[in-house]
Amino acid sequence: SQGRCTFAIYEGTSDYGEIVICDGVNEPFLFQMTGTGGLITRTFFAKEITVSGTVGPALAVIHDKHLVVAGDATSKNTIYYSSTNDIDSFTGGGSGSVVISDGVVGLASFRGDLIVFCKNSIHKLSNINDAANISVTPITTNVGCLSHGSIQEIGGDVLFLAPDGIRTIAGTARIGDVELSSVSRQIQNVIKEISSNSANIITSAVLRSKSQYRLFYSTAGESPTTSRGVIGTLTSNGFEWSETLGIQTSGLASDLNSD
């Protein structure tokens, strides 16, 4: 009965890092591999992570020495964060939870803050390692996020799909301050088509070598030949947009390869 999975990669004490998988139904699943050489000389470790009771989060992100999860069907407004430098413990030192005033849709670690994307608002969680001063501050109560699958960082800004367009969260000259702006006015008719269908499966990735943000959308059971997407290329004059046809993705990721 699982939903679409989200992944968080923690480059901690192991040689290869840990992968945390969340599916919105079950407890988060931790997979770890250690050792060097061939597979026969390595050690594999797997376990479920108990967050709180039977909480089954749909979202996961690594932020400032913590695993942060959210999106449980029965506690949509609650964010849980693990112990400090201990991503499979939610009861030790540094762990806790925060209740937001809106249902959480996505999470992103950005410039020392945790950006919390909600259905109708956006917030930032600050000072996660300071229990006395941890805080949640609204960035906006007028703009929400349609899908966590649209959230990416490119050019030092975070892009996401809002009901009225693809927007950025950018750091400003003032320390700790952020600003919102729309970057998709040229393709507003396409954005309206994407946002008007709540059944759309949204996926995205960044191609850093081309400074491109790619977002694909389709519905379950739809013919791959009719699946569509948009490509935003970051230029000195802002984003330039084009459309794609025929690429159907239910999951998408990208990484940096210097070669």
Side-chain angles (χ1 to χ4, degrees), residues 92-154:
S95 64
S97 63
V98 174
V99 178
I100 307 293
S101 59
D102 196 1
V104 180
V105 174
L107 302 169
S109 183
F110 181 62
R111 300 189 180 186
D113 294 319
L114 179 72
I115 306 299
V116 183
F117 296 87
C118 297
K119 185 177 180 180
N120 301 299
S121 59
I122 301 173
H123 309 256
K124 67 175 181 178
L125 186 150
S126 306
N127 304 317
I128 194 172
N129 289 309
D130 186 353
N133 294 299
I134 189 170
S135 63
V136 176
T137 307
I139 295 175
T140 176
T141 56
N142 298 317
V143 176
C145 178
L146 290 181
S147 170
H148 72 270
S150 68
I151 301 170
Q152 298 290 340
E153 184 172 346
I154 180 173

Side-chain angles (χ1 to χ4, degrees), residues 217-218 222-228 245-246:
Y217 60 101
S218 61
E222 181 179 87
S223 170
T225 59
T226 60
S227 299
R228 300 172 62 186
L245 184 67

